[in-house]
Amino acid sequence: QVQLVESGGGLVQAGGSLRLSCAASGSFLSINTMGWYRQAPGKQRELVALITNGNRINYADSVKGRFTISRDNAKNTVYLQMNSLKPEDTAVYYCRYSDSKGIRWGQGTQVTVSS
């Protein structure tokens, strides 16, 4: 079973930056995908970015050019560098792990961008 622990959320002004981290522990497969989703109040959870163990990356159009996802396989950690943040980026950000056995979610970390 995989456990995910997120960190790095907080309050930032528009145009600022934050870096999220998600550390995975437990039993996981070598072929997997990690990434980030977000959920704003009253909205559905949506994809932000995903990265495979082979570093194939997928971004939501809304964050392309501003956010960068990366992972350190030796540390079993995925990162999300968020630059040029906008108020519409305000949401709870959830780390996600998936492999052939299923999907795991982190507890979420709040990101608030003030205008």
Side-chain angles (χ1 to χ4, degrees), residues 31-109:
I31 299 175
N32 61 71
T33 300
M34 296 185 71
W36 298 91
Y37 280 65
R38 66 187 181 187
Q39 188 167 18
K43 295 187 177 181
Q44 290 189 332
R45 192 172 296 189
E46 64 176 8
L47 168 71
V48 177
L50 294 174
I51 182 169
T52 70
N53 58 287
N55 287 323
R56 293 182 64 183
I57 292 173
N58 183 33
Y59 290 108
D61 288 343
S62 60
V63 306
K64 284 181 180 177
R66 300 188 298 121
F67 290 10
T68 301
I69 190 171
S70 61
R71 62 188 286 170
D72 184 335
N73 290 329
K75 296 182 179 179
N76 300 317
T77 299
V78 63
Y79 305 96
L80 186 68
Q81 178 66 43
M82 304 185 293
N83 298 329
S84 302
L85 282 160
K86 305 175 181 180
E88 50 264 43
D89 294 318
T90 294
V92 177
Y93 283 69
Y94 294 91
C95 181
R96 179 182 183 268
Y97 168 93
S98 63
D99 61 24
S100 60
K101 293 184 178 180
I103 298 172
R104 295 288 181 185
W105 293 94
Q107 79 283 358
T109 185

